Amino acid sequence: MNGESMDMLADDVGGDDHVSGAPGALVTLVEYADFECLHCGRAYPVLADLRASMAGTLRFVFRHFPLGWEHPHAHDAALAAEAAARQGDDRFWAMHAQMFEHQDRLDRDALRGYARAIGLDLARYAADIADPAVEARVQRDMETGRASGVRGTPTFFVNGVRHHAAWDLDGLRDALRAAAGPTARAARR
């Protein structure tokens, strides 16, 4: 792979991705993240703000990239999110929120507590966590991340191009508005 291709998203957004926002949005923001990563935790409220303020313009996609060598609970958290997703896309986003809002507690007991708190069928949750297809789903995200040059988290792609600048609110908002073109710039006035 050449250096230029490492700045491009290797796998287009598809039907099995976790997507929030309008399907026909002008801008797609893909995040590769780890639920236990402190930087991802800092990005979480920034992304929530952007998702709310750019609701008609932005489509947000979450992909797993657990850094197990640094974060011992990250992989289990990714499995928990996927198990929640099997009970509805809204359940994925509820679990996503629980884990980022309680990032300091992601052991298996805590994850089961979050599953209970968001109203999951706990027997089904337990079965899904153990399903090899759930593991395969997490691995697919990691493989597409590596193919896209992801080495750490969070890593962002704006309309398929890697975002290298700051991922604070102003940095990401500016990149998203630039990607949306004149339509988004006119809307902010």
Side-chain angles (χ1 to χ4, degrees):
M1 218 176 263
N2 65 35
E4 184 177 288
S5 64
M6 295 297 276
D7 277 347
M8 301 299 293
L9 189 63
D11 189 44
D12 291 337
V13 175
D16 63 342
D17 274 306
H18 301 294
V19 179
S20 173
L26 293 171
V27 180
T28 297
L29 176 65
V30 175
E31 177 190 26
Y32 282 90
D34 170 330
F35 287 109
E36 200 170 7
C37 167
L38 294 177
H39 296 294
C40 296
R42 289 185 195 117
Y44 172 73
V46 169
L47 296 168
D49 184 299
L50 290 169
R51 288 167 59 194
S53 67
M54 298 183 73
T57 306
L58 179 65
R59 177 175 70 152
F60 175 67
V61 179
F62 180 90
R63 290 184 176 169
H64 302 283
F65 204 81
L67 304 172
W69 63 91
E70 280 186 54
H71 306 125
H73 303 107
H75 189 262
D76 285 346
L79 296 176
E82 286 306 313
R86 286 183 158 197
Q87 294 188 41
D89 200 44
D90 61 326
R91 300 297 82 199
F92 168 83
W93 292 108
M95 184 64 103
H96 172 274
Q98 285 287 318
M99 291 190 291
F100 276 124
E101 291 168 10
H102 304 284
Q103 193 177 37
D104 60 331
R105 189 134 187 269
L106 295 175
D107 58 85
R108 289 181 180 173
D109 289 340
L111 295 173
R112 185 171 171 80
Y114 305 147
R116 182 182 304 107
I118 65 169
L120 294 183
D121 173 328
L122 294 180
R124 184 173 168 198
Y125 168 81
D128 287 340
I129 285 269
D131 186 339
V134 168
E135 171 69 32
R137 173 66 180 78
V138 172
Q139 290 302 315
R140 184 194 70 81
D141 278 358
M142 293 180 67
E143 289 167 12
T144 66
R146 283 190 289 272
S148 301
V150 175
R151 300 290 176 259
T153 57
T155 298
F156 298 101
F157 291 84
V158 177
N159 285 349
V161 178
R162 186 158 178 177
H163 175 74
H164 289 285
W167 48 261
D168 62 0
L169 182 60
D170 291 335
L172 271 175
R173 184 176 38 226
D174 289 349
L176 297 173
R177 285 182 175 159
T183 305
R185 286 191 290 275
R188 76 176 180 209
R189 291 184 189 151

